[in-house]
Amino acid sequence: MMENARGCYCGDGDTSCGTCERCGGAGHTRHFPGPVPYTGAWCDRCYHIVEWTHPTRLLTHIIIPLVALVLLYQCVG
């Protein structure tokens, strides 16, 4: 099945393809917004909240690049 720009499995004319796991509203079934191999359903609002507040975001977007920069600085300097 083709995925749309949202990354969910809605067909033509569908307004939702699942029930949001956080708020219970009309949601979309798609991949978890992080590095965890999980598929669930979220409305757009809850999806973005989970995307920005999940603990793995801190690890993958702040800590790993910071460690890489420190190691690079030590190798160059």
Side-chain angles (χ1 to χ4, degrees), residues 1-75:
M1 178 179 266
M2 288 277 289
E3 290 186 15
N4 57 23
R6 181 182 272 125
C8 69
Y9 298 98
C10 285
D12 293 336
D14 292 341
T15 57
S16 70
C17 57
T19 303
C20 180
E21 295 180 8
R22 293 187 77 227
C23 69
H28 302 277
T29 303
R30 50 191 160 180
H31 185 274
F32 182 77
V36 180
Y38 175 73
T39 299
W42 300 273
C43 65
D44 289 334
R45 179 181 177 274
C46 290
Y47 184 82
H48 293 298
I49 290 171
V50 170
E51 178 180 38
W52 283 98
T53 61
H54 194 269
T56 59
R57 182 167 180 85
L58 177 67
L59 177 66
T60 59
H61 290 91
I62 297 173
I63 295 174
I64 291 174
L66 184 62
V67 169
L69 286 173
V70 168
L71 292 175
L72 181 64
Y73 178 76
Q74 288 179 350
C75 290

